[in-house]
Amino acid sequence: RKEKVETQTQHQMDEASIESDAAAIGDLLDQRLTYETKLRYWNADGFESRTDIYMLLDVNRRTTDQKWSHLSRKIFKNDDIPPLHVAASLGTFSAAQLSLLLRDDPDAVRRAEPTSSGALPLHLAASSSASSRRYHRHHRRSTVALLLDAHPAAASIQDAVGRLPLHRALVAGAGIDVVRDLAGANPESLSGAFAPAAASPLPSPPCPDGEAAATTVAMTTTPTPTPTTTVRGGDGGAIEEGEEGAAEVGTTMAGFAPFHVACASDAPTEVAYWLLRADPGAVRAAGGPKRPNDGGGGGNADRDVNEGS
């Protein structure tokens, strides 16, 4: 019990530290936006010269880059994660701040993070889209909406273990607004079964002439250990979420429709009800992979359960 309390205390301290660092970066991004506005509307009667403002911007950028690396190391154990991915994983940055990051690196929205998860920024935002704080809930929804607007096709791309952003959002316990946004960008995901794949192709950025690139990048990585979160499974067992448990989520939820994922993850009731209305047949379908030696009673998402079951 003592070890458990100590672990929880350390976790709370780590979260507070990460939130403090994120707030500091947010202040720096706001400062940069202020400096850029001054440059845009600068006139000779201004108190600061253009050179002064450029110097302030240079110091701001260097300080911000250092803090991004520090925060990335805390969250991902890797200081080489792009700022947009770090920001998406937190969901605490405003739309103006995220737009600044997108402007700095427009292609980042199409790049998977350089770890084993194969997650795009939208996957990371979906996984962090649930929060008990109203302030954070607002920013997390705006994060998902902004990333969807920048790269709508991301809603149809799987991570390294076959999860769509919608699946990750449901496992995280996202609210109805985020679920609607993700489902609206990929309507087929509402009736499609969760199907983990050994290789999940990520499309390359479009060619200059507007045509899609001919090549794709295949993700064939294996998840590496990182902290996990446990959610209740549909059979009363535990389903691990996070990079360490990504493979287990893949095998445990294989064949689940979004409605099944929501039920297994204790998603908000309004989310489960909305998913059921979108896919009424899900309530009569057994979720999960077909297991050997189960006498046909195991879960196969394509097999209907008897009405009286």
Side-chain angles (χ1 to χ4, degrees), residues 54-55 74 77 141 190 193 196 209 212 221 252:
Y54 278 121
M55 290 177 64
K74 283 186 178 180
K77 314 304 179 190
R141 188 197 176 189
L190 286 170
D209 61 0
T221 52
T252 308

Side-chain angles (χ1 to χ4, degrees), residues 1-12:
R1 182 182 181 86
K2 181 180 178 181
E3 290 178 355
K4 183 177 181 180
V5 171
E6 289 176 347
T7 300
Q8 290 175 339
T9 302
Q10 183 60 48
H11 181 65
Q12 291 171 351

Side-chain angles (χ1 to χ4, degrees), residues 55 67 202 210 257 261:
M55 290 177 64
K67 288 190 175 293
L202 296 176
V261 176

Side-chain angles (χ1 to χ4, degrees), residues 61-78:
R61 286 194 180 97
R62 283 189 278 112
T63 304
T64 305
D65 287 344
Q66 292 173 357
K67 288 190 175 293
W68 277 127
S69 295
H70 185 61
L71 189 57
S72 174
R73 193 159 49 246
K74 283 186 178 180
I75 299 173
F76 294 92
K77 314 304 179 190
N78 183 335

Side-chain angles (χ1 to χ4, degrees), residues 15 26 29 36 60 64 68 100 144 172 175 194 209-210 255 280 282 290 292 298:
E15 281 192 336
L29 293 176
E36 291 181 348
N60 178 282
T64 305
W68 277 127
L100 188 59
V144 170
F194 179 62
D209 61 0
K290 189 171 183 179

Side-chain angles (χ1 to χ4, degrees), residues 158-179:
Q158 297 174 333
D159 63 14
V161 294
R163 289 176 296 179
L164 294 169
L166 177 62
H167 296 132
R168 293 179 68 128
L170 292 173
V171 171
I176 186 65
D177 291 333
V178 169
V179 171

